[in-house]
Structures are given as structure tokens and as C-alpha cells.
Amino acid sequence: MKSKPRLVSGIQPTGKLHIGNYVGALKNFVALQDSGKYECFFFIADLHSMTEYFTPKEKIKQIEDVALSYLAAGLDPKKSTLFLQSDIPEHTELAWILNTITPFGELRRMTQFKDKSDTHPENINVGLFAYPVLMAADIILYDAHAVPVGEDQLQHTELTRTLARKFNARFGKTFHEPKPLLTEVPRLMSLDDPLKKMSKSRPAGCLFLDDSPDEIRNKIKRAVTDSGRDIVCDPVNKPAVSNLLLLYSSIAGIPISDLEKRYAEKGYAEFKADLAEIVVAALLPFQKKKKALKKNAVRKMLLAGGARAQKIAREKIKEVRKKTGIYT
Ligand code: AMP
Ligand code: TRP
């Protein structure tokens, strides 16, 4: 039997997941897993998350939270390999080797690095700078063909392709060049400012996956809208309502054009009230499942996934060591 193409993605354990993470990434992870077309690897990018300020105790909770969110959203350890990045030291070993072929200038151009350096000038660490190199290692270590991510990660996946190509040119064909997979909502905007991406670093504009039904209703009610009263998708002139339409369409699985027709004669209040109920209903099963899951089963599950991932990682690193002439 021909083996399936591999798919790799990860989420950082840095705080509560929001609905942007869901419609841009997590929901797609589940759909791709269930499509049966890929051999799926989903991990928790704890080493990446150390580039931002954290406390050790809180980190363990955040890792457990992402693991439980993976399971509650529908990732299934029988269908996908779920693991913790730091359990596989091959990621950091490959990242070091890739560091040595990564041009400094390429990393300096990375928007995420520039954004995070601007928001946290007190913590511009070398890890933050080299972050995309570790991400490249996460991906090409498994010869991934596809990488489902949100739009903010495109620059990093492009660098991943560059590094795979560069390594291959210098040391002989070793890595596959992966392609990013985007959803229809690759960049959900903030509820309080439709010109800014919904982001954990700006909690006021986030709908969190763990928000209660009333919090969801209130946040959507308060979400900013545009001038005029038409409910149409026009991202340039009506960024706020377009963003809400995209969210509605993604969660309800209804094309935008149908929604525009449905709300043609209706006002924002009714549209927002319906959207809120759609989101509440979509998140309820997730929230119930997450509450019912046992935290103490998480470590064992991640170790089991890690053992599967490491077999592949170890073989690849052997090849890399041989190709680069590391004395073994
Ligand atoms: P992070 O929490 O930064 O690890 O992001 C996890 C995943 O969610 C990545 O694939 C991001 O690209 C994606 N993501 C984050 N914010 C958004 C957003 N506002 N819209 C769509 N996707 C997003
Ligand atoms: N950088 C990604 C983010 O912030 C997380 C991540 C780390 C990742 N390694 C990865 C995503 C490998 C996809 C593949 O969202």
C-alpha cells in the first residue's frame, strides 16, 4: 500500500485558545485528520512558547490545556500522532544544524519577530529570533508535505521551504519542501478592532473557546460594526461585518452569499444574536467534552505519541548526521 503524505502542525501553549485558532487551524486539523488523506502529526510547541515570558508551573497547565483542547475538538490519538515537542530532542538538534545555513538577514525580516520585539522590548531573546528555524525543523524532520496553519505563519512556512531547498542543494536531497494549507478564514480579525488580527496578546478582542455562553453573547453583541447597515462581505469598506460574516460562515458551514441573502432586510442586532447562538451551540460540545476529559491521562497519551514520532525523527537525524559529515 502506498503511504499517505504526511501532515505536521503545532500550537504553542501560551494561553487560552481563541476562535481564530479554531477557524484558522484547529477545526482544519480535525477535518484533515478525518479526511483520511494524510498521516497526521499534531504537537504542542512548548519549546517555541518558552521564547515568551512564562512561569514553570503555569507552563504545565498550558500544555495540558492545549492537549485537552486537541482531544475535545476531535483529534484522536488513534488516528493522529499527538505529541509534545520537547519530548523529541531531534527537533532541537535539527534546528541547530539548520541555524548554520540560515541567513541572519532572512530572520531579521520575519514579521512575527518584529511584532513580538515591538510589544515586548524587554524580552528580545535569541530564541525569539531563531524561532522560525525551530519551526522549520519541526516540519521537515517528518518530511511533511502539508502544514495546516493560519496566515500569520506563511512567512515561516516559506522560510521552511527555503531551508529545505538550501540543505538539499548543499548536502544532497534529504528533505521534502512542505506546502502550507490555509482555511477560508486564515486570519480572523479582532472583535474590538477589525483591522487587527485576533490574538492572545490582545484578549479584549478575543472569543475564547472556553468562554461561557453569556460571555460569548456579550462579546458578539459588543463587537464593533461598520457604518451603514448592510450586511455584506466587503473587507475593504466593511471590515468588521465582513469578519463576522466569515466567522458565521465558517462555524455554520453556510456560504457567505447565502448569509448575505438571509440578512438582506435585517439589522445588525438580529445578525449578531444569531451568530452568537451559532457560536454557543458549536462550542458547547467542545466545552462539555473538555470538562469530561481526564487531565491525568494527558502525559501518557503524549508519551505514546512521542514514541511514534521519535522513530521517524531518529531515522531522519541519522541521515542528516551522515550527510553533513557529523562524526558518528
Ligand atoms: P498560536 O496560538 O500562535 O500557536 O497559533 C496556533 C494556530 O492558530 C496557528 O496556525 C496560527 O496561524 C493560527 N491563528 C492564530 N491566530 C489566528 C487568527 N486570528 N486567525 C486565523 N488563524 C489564527
Ligand atoms: N509558530 C506556530 C504558531 O505560532 C506554532 C508552530 C511551531 C508550528 N512549530 C510549528 C506550526 C510547525 C506548524 C508547524 O502558531
Side-chain angles (χ1 to χ4, degrees):
M1 200 179 75
K2 200 173 164 289
S3 58
K4 294 178 187 174
R6 256 185 221 139
L7 181 152
V8 172
S9 196
I11 293 184
Q12 295 187 76
T14 41
K16 296 189 284 183
L17 293 183
H18 55 68
I19 198 118
N21 299 129
Y22 186 67
V23 295
L26 187 52
K27 183 167 171 269
N28 204 22
F29 292 1
V30 179
L32 289 161
Q33 163 195 272
D34 292 341
S35 76
K37 288 192 197 144
Y38 297 94
E39 190 188 346
C40 294
F41 290 77
F42 297 110
F43 66 95
I44 302 172
D46 60 332
L47 296 175
H48 278 107
S49 74
M50 292 173 80
T51 59
E52 288 175 33
Y53 179 78
F54 68 96
T55 59
K57 246 198 190 147
E58 161 198 84
K59 186 54 66 193
I60 295 171
K61 283 206 188 96
Q62 289 172 330
I63 290 170
E64 284 171 350
D65 190 69
V66 176
L68 296 178
S69 297
Y70 275 179
L71 296 172
L75 291 184
D76 177 351
K78 289 199 203 80
K79 297 184 191 163
S80 295
T81 299
L82 308 179
F83 67 99
L84 182 64
Q85 183 186 36
S86 60
D87 279 339
I88 321 286
E90 283 82 355
H91 287 234
T92 34
E93 180 170 352
L94 180 57
W96 179 260
I97 295 170
L98 294 179
N99 271 331
T100 67
I101 61 162
T102 306
F104 186 84
E106 292 260 343
L107 291 184
R108 206 165 39 185
R109 289 193 306 112
M110 295 289 141
T111 1
Q112 186 170 301
F113 172 68
K114 288 193 271 187
D115 287 350
K116 289 192 179 174
S117 308
D118 285 348
T119 25
H120 291 286
E122 77 294 350
N123 189 16
I124 310 177
N125 59 81
V126 174
L128 192 64
F129 187 69
Y131 177 113
V133 184
L134 177 59
M135 176 161 165
D138 297 336
I139 298 168
I140 64 179
L141 186 59
Y142 299 95
D143 280 322
H145 281 60
V147 189
V149 280
E151 196 180 66
D152 58 355
Q153 297 303 312
L154 284 186
Q155 207 183 16
H156 293 163
T157 48
E158 200 41 55
L159 178 77
T160 304
R161 292 170 60 81
T162 305
L163 294 184
R165 209 175 310 132
K166 226 173 149 187
F167 186 100
N168 290 345
R170 174 134 178 240
F171 299 108
K173 175 89 179 102
T174 309
F175 295 117
H176 189 84
E177 279 181 49
K179 290 205 175 68
L181 291 181
L182 295 182
T183 66
E184 313 81 68
V185 197
R187 187 179 171 83
L188 188 74
M189 308 310 272
S190 208
L191 294 184
D192 65 341
D193 182 350
L195 301 181
K196 295 210 173 92
K197 186 186 74 166
M198 185 178 287
S199 157
K200 289 170 203 167
S201 60
R202 303 184 55 259
C206 288
L207 262 187
F208 293 106
L209 300 186
D210 295 329
D211 279 348
S212 70
D214 279 341
E215 278 169 319
I216 295 170
R217 290 185 187 109
N218 281 333
K219 286 183 179 180
I220 294 184
K221 200 180 206 175
R222 278 189 281 121
V224 297
T225 43
D226 313 289
S227 52
R229 54 184 305 275
D230 296 339
I231 294 168
V232 289
C233 193
D234 174 357
V236 176
N237 299 308
K238 288 182 158 282
V241 74
S242 303
N243 191 45
L244 296 179
L245 273 167
L246 276 166
L247 177 62
Y248 197 140
S249 166
S250 168
I251 300 281
I254 302 173
I256 300 252
S257 53
D258 290 3
L259 292 175
E260 286 173 337
K261 274 183 221 136
R262 185 181 296 183
Y263 291 99
E265 301 300 323
K266 297 177 178 159
Y268 282 144
E270 189 172 347
F271 168 68
K272 281 177 155 186
D274 289 355
L275 171 60
E277 293 318 311
I278 297 271
V279 173
V280 167
L283 291 185
L284 216 57
F286 167 87
Q287 295 176 345
K288 271 196 188 151
K289 198 166 163 194
K290 194 166 165 192
K291 278 200 194 106
L293 285 164
K294 300 261 178 306
K295 249 195 209 160
N296 51 14
V298 164
R299 196 66 192 99
K300 207 169 149 205
M301 174 197 78
L302 293 175
L303 285 171
R308 286 213 294 273
Q310 192 161 35
K311 271 197 197 134
I312 299 161
R314 204 174 279 146
E315 282 308 304
K316 200 71 195 175
I317 282 291
K318 257 195 215 158
E319 189 186 346
V320 169
R321 285 174 157 255
K322 207 163 156 202
K323 293 254 174 72
T324 51
I326 287 176
Y327 195 18
T328 38

